[in-house]
Amino acid sequence: MLIIYIAGFIVCMGLALCLTPLVKKFALAIGATDVPNARKVHTRIMPRLGGLGIFLAFVLGLLAISPFVPYDFSTRDVNFIKALLSGGGLIVLLGSLDDKFELSAKVKLLGQIAAACIVVFGFHITVDFVNIPFNDTYSSLESWVAVPLTIFWIVGVTNAVNLIDGLDGLAAGVSGIAIATIATMAFLMGNVMVAMLCLLLLGSIVGFLFFNFHPAKIFMGDAGSLFLGFCLAMLAMLGFKQIAVVSFITPLLIIGVPLSDTFFAIVRRKLQKKPIFAPDKGHLHHCLRELGFSHRQTVLIIYGIAAFFGILAVIQSSSALYEANWVTFVVICIMLFVLQIGAEVIGLVGQTKKPLLNFLSRVFMKVSAEKGSKS
């Protein structure tokens, strides 16, 4: 299986390397391009549709190595693969149309819901169980909870990855790190199917990054960001339904970067009384650029943050450290505190919205005043 895993990764990477230049020519031919504006970082017209190359490399690579897999997948595994390809295909079609015609946010949302419904109602893939933190038992979910929760999860993660797609190689790299995290967890848990899918997808992403890392020759567009978000949502669901060493927080850690950026974006837009889907220049990568970091430095910093989240996710899911879950919980609380401080320092919510920093400043001033009065 290890040889097949490595071969699948190489095959998908090679396919992405070969297909992406063809996709670039196709995007230019049909006018699927990204024109610079005040909100965007790039300064010249760029071809989009790069996600089509990732999708094709992944599908062709899966078809190529499937006959050589010496393992009989269960019915649920087969349904999962079919759901991933069917829903993913619809997502890529939706993203490709948006890359060409710039669909409205409502149309894209409806398309994402439709893809999630294909997964849930077409192939009966839902979050049926969750593992309660610090407890060895499962909590079963009724269908009236499992169905909307699964749809909300898929649509939410899909959009989260789409929102961070603002710099060359950013969304692809962060998604690749998250996929590598899931692959590591799958290896530890002995989940052959998920490990195989992750490595095939990771190979496709790495091959695409040769053309997408700064300075990019092609953008992945919504075809890529939506597809990678959809795949992340599907594959991360293994964190909801596996052996009892996994708690519900694991999949949230896996997508920590896009999730936190999306959360702060929602808060920021609500405070500014703007629509949730209204674009702005307040995302993590925009704020880091304003602090003086270069394009590549900003991307690499966010890669580091994503890797940190990935390490926490692996620790959280490790059976060897399960008895130390309270320690992990404390670490997560500290991490959330640091995230909030970092968000306020760089201005993710807004330059004037810094409640925690203001509170700490008042506490510090009060303590200093008390010390001064005693002396």
Side-chain angles (χ1 to χ4, degrees), residues 132-327:
I132 306 301
F134 326 120
N135 194 328
D136 284 338
T137 59
Y138 278 129
S139 176
S140 178
L141 296 177
E142 298 292 338
S143 60
W144 65 272
V145 176
V147 169
L149 176 62
T150 305
I151 293 174
F152 177 79
W153 171 259
I154 292 174
V155 173
V157 177
T158 300
N159 276 290
V161 174
N162 187 39
L163 285 174
I164 66 168
D165 186 22
L167 293 179
D168 298 351
L170 181 56
V174 169
S175 298
I177 292 169
I179 293 294
T181 300
I182 300 173
T184 302
M185 292 170 54
F187 277 118
L188 293 174
M189 296 174 183
N191 194 323
V192 176
M193 183 268 297
V194 173
M196 179 188 71
L197 292 176
C198 286
L199 286 182
L200 294 178
L201 187 57
L202 185 59
S204 304
I205 293 171
V206 172
F208 173 74
L209 273 172
F210 278 94
F211 303 94
N212 185 238
F213 197 73
H214 186 71
K217 299 178 179 64
I218 183 174
F219 292 161
M220 65 163 57
D222 275 19
S225 59
L226 293 178
F227 173 64
L228 291 182
F230 177 83
C231 289
L232 267 179
M234 291 288 291
L235 294 169
M237 284 202 315
L238 99 102
F240 284 116
K241 189 170 183 181
Q242 270 296 331
I243 55 178
V245 301
V246 181
S247 81
F248 76 92
I249 203 166
T250 304
L252 301 180
L253 289 171
I254 292 171
I255 60 164
V257 168
L259 185 68
S260 58
D261 198 27
T262 301
F263 171 76
F264 286 121
I266 292 173
V267 173
R268 180 175 64 250
R269 289 165 187 172
K270 281 293 184 182
L271 291 174
Q272 296 174 354
K273 298 181 179 180
K274 293 181 179 180
I276 292 178
F277 294 103
D280 61 22
K281 298 194 72 171
H283 289 287
L284 176 60
H285 55 276
H286 292 127
C287 295
L288 289 173
R289 288 299 305 276
E290 289 179 3
L291 289 176
F293 292 104
S294 69
H295 196 123
R296 288 195 178 195
Q297 287 173 336
T298 298
V299 172
L300 293 175
I301 288 171
I302 299 176
Y303 282 2
I305 298 172
F308 173 67
F309 276 112
I311 291 170
L312 282 180
V314 173
I315 291 174
Q316 180 69 20
S317 66
S318 173
S319 58
L321 295 177
Y322 185 72
E323 294 181 356
N325 250 345
W326 281 108
V327 176

